[in-house]
Amino acid sequence: MKEIPHLTFDLDTLGVSTGHLVVPKGADCEALSLPVFSLNKGEGPRLLITGGNHGNELEGPIVARRLVEWLPEAQTCGRVIIVPEINPLAVQAWTRNTPIDGKNLNRAFPGRADGTVTERIADAVSRVLLPMADTVFDFHSFGPTWDTPSAIITHPIANADLMAKTLRMAEAFKLPVTLVWEYHDTPGMFDIWAHSQGKVFICPEFGGGTVSTEALAIHEAGVRNALIALGLVEGKAEHPTFRQQKSSQTLETLLSDELRSPARGIFEPRCSMLDEVKQGDLIGVLHSMESLSAGAIDIYAPTTSIVYAIRSGAYVEADEEIVYFARPLKL
Amino acid sequence: MKEIPHLTFDLDTLGVSTGHLVVPKGADCEALSLPVFSLNKGEGPRLLITGGNHGNELEGPIVARRLVEWLPEAQTCGRVIIVPEINPLAVQAWTRNTPIDGKNLNRAFPGRADGTVTERIADAVSRVLLPMADTVFDFHSFGPTWDTPSAIITHPIANADLMAKTLRMAEAFKLPVTLVWEYHDTPGMFDIWAHSQGKVFICPEFGGGTVSTEALAIHEAGVRNALIALGLVEGKAEHPTFRQQKSSQTLETLLSDELRSPARGIFEPRCSMLDEVKQGDLIGVLHSMESLSAGAIDIYAPTTSIVYAIRSGAYVEADEEIVYFARPLKL
């Protein structure tokens, strides 16, 4: 008999339970067992939290693990399901995509039961976990080679009611930035699939670069604020302190706000996340790998805007993304 | 006729010249051409600067590139040779080791003319460039998954005169930390070979994590201070500002100051670089990837000391380094 994706325990059990989500074996690898935590306090909101969708974004798994520690003391109603690493193969390899099939889990939804391992993970999450939740937090970050603030990102949603609910939920985190991001490469993303199922889907992008204890405290405070807003936890929401400030701003990034490298080489940032730049400001320099006599290529801000994310010093290919700009959201 | 490693231009040319160091082809790949910059102002100190020895430490190549921009205006005497990326194959792959042969260039010195590509690079640098210099700065950093300050590191050197000269040169950078590091894995390192040739060898370890514009300014200020101390550049040395302070400390790390992970899992830092910790303080937590019921492993400081470097949130294998402690250097 063919195995189907399933949980090794019963989510209806009251209180804390832990076990695994089994992703069946396929032609490319054996079955996977993803550790799952469930805290069922009966009636109330139903929340699914996932981390480790991309394997080199460790902020999410760590914040998820911390939640597992303190939630049993704090949660007063409803259900929370936590899967700290939905792609353990990528986490163990510290890679964005799954090493076995080279696929990006966040482009594989809703998945395929008879597909490659990445597609089977997406299928298991879509079939077994997603139906159990009304709201999803899928923890991401910009990864090690970007300079970005801790933020909640949402794509624009055609359904106006779902968009309004999502934006309200996003702002409840009170992270330094809430961003509505018009993005080109969305087919197969977890949020797009969850929206089609009527879910409120929140994508925290917990900054980039070093996963420090100070940064983790900000991310965790944001999640606590969101749990308070959902009514799962009691308490008073507070802005975390970021760069000596306690404030949030809601921004938007349009398709035209993406800046790509004019050539391959080493990118040197000349500005930082959240800098306000004027059209024509020098924001970075691209150094050729082939020659030192060619001179570097100066890169200027195409418009007056805010730097949402900038590549930290990194080798980049031609036409690779190096900066995302943003501007205050007009509603 | 067999090709030998060589420069495509004459280092004796006065003023600025640029060209390439040719690393001959071998069984595993074609010949490489590494861009080289030379500024010859006649009599005076002879300095070789290299970056990109490890391909995922981009601070060095960027600081080296910046030097190429301003040195022609600033250098008053002597000779400086700069190779921003001595391992371009690793830089382009953003990996520590060379992808073609999997070797660590900084364990391959003095290299082999008939070896793999990493060994041929080491051979070319050892034969063609090293003899041209009295002092070497080989730019490194701790890489993206560590939280560390900008520092100069030297291993203990048996020759007391060379040790004293090296420490004096290291402290002239005026970076936040100068560290004498007793390290076990030194065979084949560039510094060990250069010491055997009587050179003063300095290894800047330009921090870890995000390569931000603020961090780069600190590293660059350190190099400018060193060039002033060598007499190559005129000006007044100044401590760069790091965490609102302008100061330096000289520390040492002993073999016993290395802490390794007790198991595989996700490491969560609970302290930061340069924190002073007491014996028994909680400094990190290790989360199992297999189970959420097993509980996390708390990691405590084994002695009262200073945290020199701590893994930022990262997946680690059992017995992998997670913290390096340090203490004030006793001379």
Side-chain angles (χ1 to χ4, degrees), chain B:
Chain B
M1 201 182 92
K2 198 168 159 14
E3 199 181 23
I4 58 167
H6 63 277
L7 286 166
T8 60
F9 66 112
D10 184 358
L11 289 178
D12 288 336
T13 309
L14 282 177
V16 170
S17 34
T18 58
H20 292 86
L21 171 65
V22 176
V23 178
K25 74 173 178 182
D28 53 357
C29 79
E30 289 302 302
L32 302 179
S33 287
L34 318 189
V36 177
F37 167 95
S38 163
L39 179 44
N40 182 353
K41 291 254 181 170
E43 288 302 302
R46 301 186 310 156
L47 173 65
L48 168 64
I49 295 178
T50 49
N53 183 327
H54 292 138
N56 59 353
E57 302 171 5
L58 275 290
E59 291 87 344
I62 293 174
V63 172
R65 296 292 186 139
R66 286 192 179 190
L67 267 178
V68 167
E69 301 287 322
W70 61 258
L71 206 57
E73 298 288 310
Q75 188 181 324
T76 56
C77 68
R79 290 177 178 211
V80 180
I81 301 168
I82 302 177
V83 191
E85 296 95 24
I86 53 170
N87 194 349
L89 301 170
V91 169
Q92 287 173 30
W94 202 59
T95 53
R96 182 174 176 83
N97 294 357
T98 316
I100 290 175
D101 59 12
K103 291 195 175 163
N104 181 340
L105 176 55
N106 208 26
R107 299 295 182 279
F109 279 86
R112 284 173 53 197
D114 60 349
T116 66
V117 65
T118 306
E119 294 165 327
R120 296 199 304 278
I121 293 173
D123 177 67
V125 172
S126 302
R127 282 210 232 192
V128 179
L129 297 179
L130 191 60
M132 306 303 297
D134 311 308
T135 304
V136 181
F137 299 168
D138 185 38
F139 293 168
H140 285 254
S141 54
F142 253 67
T145 68
W146 288 89
D147 184 29
T148 53
S150 192
I152 304 297
I153 292 187
T154 179
H155 299 122
I157 306 169
N159 176 330
D161 179 54
L162 192 57
M163 181 75 224
K165 269 192 204 165
T166 301
L167 197 55
R168 205 155 52 234
M169 183 77 251
E171 290 179 331
F173 280 72
K174 297 183 180 293
L175 287 177
V177 171
T178 300
L179 183 71
V180 178
W181 191 357
E182 194 184 22
Y183 192 60
H184 58 92
D185 181 23
T186 55
M189 288 182 86
F190 192 8
D191 65 334
I192 304 300
W193 177 248
H195 292 155
S196 76
Q197 307 296 301
K199 315 291 182 185
V200 172
F201 188 102
I202 295 292
C203 177
E205 288 278 355
F206 288 141
T210 310
V211 186
S212 67
T213 186
E214 294 87 349
L216 289 169
I218 294 173
H219 314 327
E220 188 180 18
V223 176
R224 184 187 290 266
N225 288 338
L227 294 175
I228 292 169
L230 275 170
L232 287 164
V233 162
E234 289 179 355
K236 194 172 163 301
E238 283 188 32
H239 283 99
T241 303
F242 174 66
R243 294 182 162 181
Q244 288 88 48
Q245 294 201 337
K246 284 178 175 285
S247 62
S248 301
Q249 51 186 325
T250 300
L251 305 174
E252 69 177 338
T253 287
L254 306 175
L255 281 176
S256 56
D257 282 323
E258 181 181 287
L259 190 68
R260 289 167 176 267
S261 180
R264 75 189 196 112
I266 292 181
F267 177 71
E268 174 190 345
R270 287 284 177 102
C271 62
S272 303
M273 59 166 159
L274 299 188
D275 280 357
E276 293 180 21
V277 294
K278 291 200 189 64
Q279 185 175 14
D281 282 355
L282 180 67
I283 55 171
V285 178
L286 191 77
H287 301 281
S288 161
M289 289 281 288
E290 279 76 37
S291 164
L292 288 168
S293 55
I297 302 172
D298 289 338
I299 297 170
Y300 301 99
T303 57
T304 293
S305 53
I306 297 164
V307 174
Y308 169 66
I310 184 162
R311 284 296 288 264
S312 63
Y315 173 78
V316 295
E317 295 290 345
D319 206 37
E320 196 172 326
E321 299 90 337
I322 48 176
V323 187
Y324 290 103
F325 299 102
R327 57 208 73 250
L329 177 66
K330 289 190 197 113
L331 283 177

Side-chain angles (χ1 to χ4, degrees), chain A residues 66-75 220 223-224 227 233:
Chain A
R66 286 191 178 190
L67 267 177
V68 166
E69 300 288 321
W70 61 258
L71 206 57
E73 298 288 310
Q75 186 180 326
E220 188 180 18
V223 175
R224 183 186 290 266
L227 294 174
V233 163

